[in-house]
Amino acid sequence: MTLQLFDSYSRALRDFEPLEGNRVRIYACGPTVYDYAHIGNLRTYLFEDVLRRTLEFCGYEVYHVVNITDVGHLTSDADTGEDKIEKGSRRTGKSAWEIAEIYTEAFQADIRALNILEPHKWCRATDHIEEQIDYIKVIEAKGFTYGTSDGIYFDTSSLENYGHLARLDKEGLSAGERVDVGEKKNPTDFALWKFSPPDQKRQMEWESPWGTGFPGWHIECSAMAAKYLGPMFDIHCGGKDHIPVHHTNEIAQSEVCHGTNLANFWLHGYFLETDQEKMAKSSGEFLRLKTLIDRGIDPIAFRYLCLTANYRTDLKFSWESLDSASRALERLRNLYYSWDNGDGRDTAYIEEFTQKICNDLNTADALALVWELCRSNVPDEVKKATLRFCDRVLGLSLDDWKPPHQTEIPDGVRQLVDYRQKAREQKDWSTADRIRDDLLELGYAIEDTPEGPKVSRINSIISKSEG
Ligand code: AMP
Ligand code: ZN
C-alpha cells in the first residue's frame, strides 16, 4: 500500500518513496530548553512519533534525528530580544548550562512517559558551534551575507526562491510600513551570527571570524541536519508555526550552501489549543505533562486524545475531552486485557487500518476502526492479535497494561459492587443504576461481563477539579 503524506513545500498529498533504498532519514526540530515542554509542544512530538511508527510499520528503516536548541533562540522571531536560555537563567538563578541540562532531561522524561520512541540521534546546538561557523562561512563566500552592528545577516533579497515554503509575499512585506527592520536590509533577513552585547558578558559565547558571539537560531538545524543526514534527506518536520520563519530560513541556508531545499517532504503538525489564544511557553503559564499526571491522568490518555484528531487539524484542549480519552483508553485496555492471546490476525481489518494510516496518518479514522473491531464478532483472540499489530503505530502499549490490583479497590466500594449485583439479580434496575452512578462519583467504573462485574478505578478529572 502506498503511503501518502502531505508535503507543505509542494502543498500536495504525495506518494512517499525514500530517496535511497529502504532507509528513511527524518529530522525533527526539537525543544528550546529554557523551560518545561507544554502539552502543545508534546502534541507535535506525538505526531512525529506516529509518523516514524507508520514508516516502520510500512517496512522502512528509519533514522530519526532531533536537535536540542540550547542557544540562540531569541524571544522575538525578528532576531531581537533576549536569548531564551539566558533569560531562563535569570528567572531561575541557575546557569544557562544548568538550565539547558535540566529541561533537556525533563523533556526526555516527558517523551518516555508518552511512549514516544527515542530518536536515534539527539544533537545539541552548543555541541556544534564549529559546524555552524563553517556553514556560515560558505554562505558568506557565496555572497549572501552582510554585517550590522549586532551581527551577520542573511540577505534574503538575493535568493530568488526565498519564502516558497510559506508562499511569502516579499514585496508586500517590504512595503509594509509598520515593519521595524532596524539595520536589516529587508524585513525577512535573519541573523546567522549575533555578537555578544558590548556591555554584557554572556554565559554562552564563542569566538568566530566575525567576532565573539553566538549562532542564530536557524543555522543549527541546517548545519546539524547536513552533518547527520546529508544535504538532502527524506522528511523534515515540526509544528506549523515553523513554516513562515524557522523552516523558511533553514531552507534558504540550505539552498545557498547545498542547492537543495533540505528535505524531500516537509511535514507540519497543527496546534493544540487551550482556551487561551495560544499555548505560549514564554508566557510562563502553560499546561505540562506533570500537571496532567498530578491530576491522576495517565500520560497515555493524553496520547490517546492526540490520536483522536488528525495532525493537520488544530485540536482544542479541554479537561472534558481528556476525561473522555481517559475513559476510552481504560475501556480499550480492559477489553484487550480480558481477551486470550492467539496467533491469527484479521487481515481485512489490518488492511483497512493500514489504508487509513497510510492516508496521511489518519489516526482519527484508525482509532474509530479499532473500536469497530472491538465491537465486531471477530473472535476475541483474533481481535487481540490484530490490535497488537495496530498498536505498533498507535503506541498505546496495550500489552504492558495490567488492571490495578484488586486490593486497591477499597472494601466499601466492593460492598457497593456486591449490593448492586444483588439488585441486578433481582432485576431492580433502578437501584443498580443508582449504585453505578454512586460508584462513578467515587471514581470507580463497573463493567458487566459474563464472568460478573469488573470494577476499576477511573481518572475522573472533572469530578476532581470540581471537588
Ligand atoms: P519550542 O520548544 O518552542 O522550540 O517548540 C517545540 C515544538 O513544539 C516545535 O515543533 C513547535 O512548532 C511546536 N509547538 C509549539 N507550540 C505548539 C502548540 N500549541 N501545539 C502544537 N505544537 C506546538
Ligand atoms: Zn529547526
Side-chain angles (χ1 to χ4, degrees):
M1 204 167 301
T2 312
L3 170 62
Q4 290 199 309
L5 296 171
F6 187 86
D7 169 30
S8 310
Y9 194 82
S10 57
R11 301 221 168 158
L13 200 59
R14 292 172 46 211
D15 289 355
F16 178 79
E17 286 255 10
L19 291 172
E20 266 176 43
N22 198 44
R23 197 152 182 262
V24 180
R25 289 163 291 162
I26 304 182
Y27 185 94
C29 288
T32 309
V33 285
Y34 66 103
D35 207 332
Y36 295 107
H38 61 56
I39 56 172
N41 300 134
L42 295 174
R43 181 188 183 203
T44 291
Y45 300 104
L46 281 165
F47 132 64
E48 291 159 354
D49 187 55
V50 170
L51 169 67
R52 166 164 164 196
R53 286 169 178 272
T54 300
L55 288 158
E56 289 174 352
F57 185 81
C58 291
Y60 297 118
E61 187 197 327
V62 178
Y63 188 70
H64 176 200
V65 177
V66 177
N67 68 301
I68 299 284
T69 299
D70 56 356
V71 70
H73 193 171
L74 303 187
T75 48
S76 150
D77 274 352
D79 291 313
T80 54
E82 216 180 332
D83 188 316
K84 291 185 178 189
I85 307 284
E86 303 248 348
K87 191 176 172 194
S89 161
R90 275 203 294 105
R91 189 187 78 234
T92 58
K94 295 194 160 44
S95 79
W97 297 96
E98 282 170 320
I99 287 288
E101 198 56 41
I102 290 167
Y103 294 117
T104 300
E105 279 173 21
F107 172 73
Q108 290 170 336
D110 281 353
I111 68 159
R112 277 192 292 272
L114 289 168
N115 210 15
I116 291 174
L117 298 172
E118 179 109 10
H120 301 94
K121 177 82 199 163
W122 291 107
C123 47
R124 246 194 289 262
T126 52
D127 288 338
H128 297 81
I129 299 297
E130 214 179 298
E131 287 85 346
Q132 295 177 72
I133 290 175
D134 288 347
Y135 208 110
I136 300 168
K137 281 188 194 159
V138 177
I139 300 174
E140 184 180 44
K142 295 199 176 178
F144 283 82
T145 63
Y146 63 91
T148 71
S149 61
D150 71 4
I152 301 298
Y153 283 79
F154 186 109
D155 182 356
T156 55
S157 64
S158 315
L159 188 66
E160 178 74 29
N161 205 21
Y162 180 81
H164 177 79
L165 175 72
R167 309 297 191 267
L168 287 184
D169 169 14
K170 275 196 287 180
E171 277 71 41
L173 277 174
S174 312
E177 283 167 25
R178 298 174 62 197
V179 179
D180 179 14
V181 293
E183 287 178 61
K184 290 200 293 190
K185 292 185 185 167
N186 311 285
T188 46
D189 292 355
F190 57 92
L192 295 164
W193 188 264
K194 290 276 282 189
F195 304 137
S196 294
D199 52 346
Q200 183 201 329
K201 172 95 183 113
R202 277 179 55 95
Q203 297 179 53
M204 291 177 159
E205 60 180 16
W206 296 264
E207 296 306 313
S208 84
W210 312 281
T212 306
F214 58 100
W217 171 33
H218 319 295
I219 197 73
E220 66 172 90
C221 288
S222 295
M224 295 192 288
K227 173 167 179 168
Y228 295 108
L229 300 171
M232 180 76 181
F233 51 90
D234 297 286
I235 305 176
H236 194 311
C237 34
K240 69 172 183 180
D241 57 322
H242 283 345
I243 297 174
V245 181
H246 184 53
H247 287 171
T248 289
N249 294 343
E250 279 186 40
I251 291 172
Q253 292 164 158
S254 181
E255 276 183 351
V256 170
C257 206
H258 301 292
T260 72
N261 69 336
L262 204 57
N264 191 16
F265 279 78
W266 284 84
L267 264 63
H268 293 98
Y270 279 46
F271 268 30
L272 182 78
E273 288 169 340
T274 53
D275 289 340
Q276 299 124 29
E277 224 173 282
K278 187 183 141 196
M279 205 168 288
K281 203 155 84 171
S282 50
S283 74
E285 277 186 35
F286 55 86
L287 293 170
R288 43 182 291 226
L289 196 61
K290 188 172 177 299
T291 323
L292 272 47
I293 295 170
D294 287 347
R295 286 192 177 216
I297 296 151
D298 187 323
I300 302 300
F302 177 65
R303 182 177 179 108
Y304 185 102
L305 174 68
C306 292
L307 293 173
T308 63
N310 292 330
Y311 79 94
R312 277 198 320 116
T313 53
D314 287 327
L315 171 59
K316 219 169 175 45
F317 175 82
S318 71
W319 291 107
E320 287 78 9
S321 58
L322 184 57
D323 198 25
S324 313
S326 269
R327 287 161 196 265
L329 175 66
E330 187 87 13
R331 274 203 303 278
L332 190 63
R333 283 171 160 171
N334 276 301
L335 278 173
Y336 186 86
Y337 187 80
S338 70
W339 296 329
D340 287 334
N341 279 314
D343 287 335
R345 298 180 199 130
D346 187 297
T347 46
Y349 270 105
I350 300 264
E351 193 170 317
E352 215 178 318
F353 179 86
T354 311
Q355 228 163 39
K356 295 195 185 309
I357 212 75
C358 285
N359 174 18
D360 199 26
L361 318 178
N362 191 335
T363 53
D365 281 2
L367 258 192
L369 184 76
V370 160
W371 283 106
E372 202 183 299
L373 169 70
C374 291
R375 285 189 292 263
S376 73
N377 47 22
V378 168
D380 286 352
E381 67 275 13
V382 178
K383 283 183 188 167
K384 187 159 186 159
T386 309
L387 204 44
R388 177 174 294 129
F389 198 69
C390 299
D391 200 30
R392 285 166 41 187
V393 173
L394 302 174
L396 298 172
S397 276
L398 292 172
D399 268 322
D400 297 340
W401 186 82
K402 288 192 181 41
H405 199 268
Q406 296 289 304
T407 53
E408 281 178 42
I409 309 288
D411 287 344
V413 171
R414 288 240 153 265
Q415 268 166 21
L416 277 175
V417 173
D418 292 345
Y419 193 42
R420 176 177 171 274
Q421 188 58 15
K422 285 200 184 89
R424 276 171 58 83
E425 283 160 13
Q426 289 160 10
K427 302 207 182 332
D428 180 358
W429 307 119
S430 66
T431 304
D433 285 351
R434 187 172 43 75
I435 299 173
R436 176 196 283 268
D437 290 343
D438 289 349
L439 284 164
L440 274 176
E441 279 289 313
L442 291 170
Y444 294 88
I446 288 199
E447 202 193 329
D448 294 306
T449 72
E451 296 82 47
K454 273 196 182 165
V455 57
S456 55
R457 184 103 181 86
I458 49 169
N459 297 315
S460 183
I461 312 143
I462 298 167
S463 52
K464 267 181 203 163
S465 60
E466 284 169 0

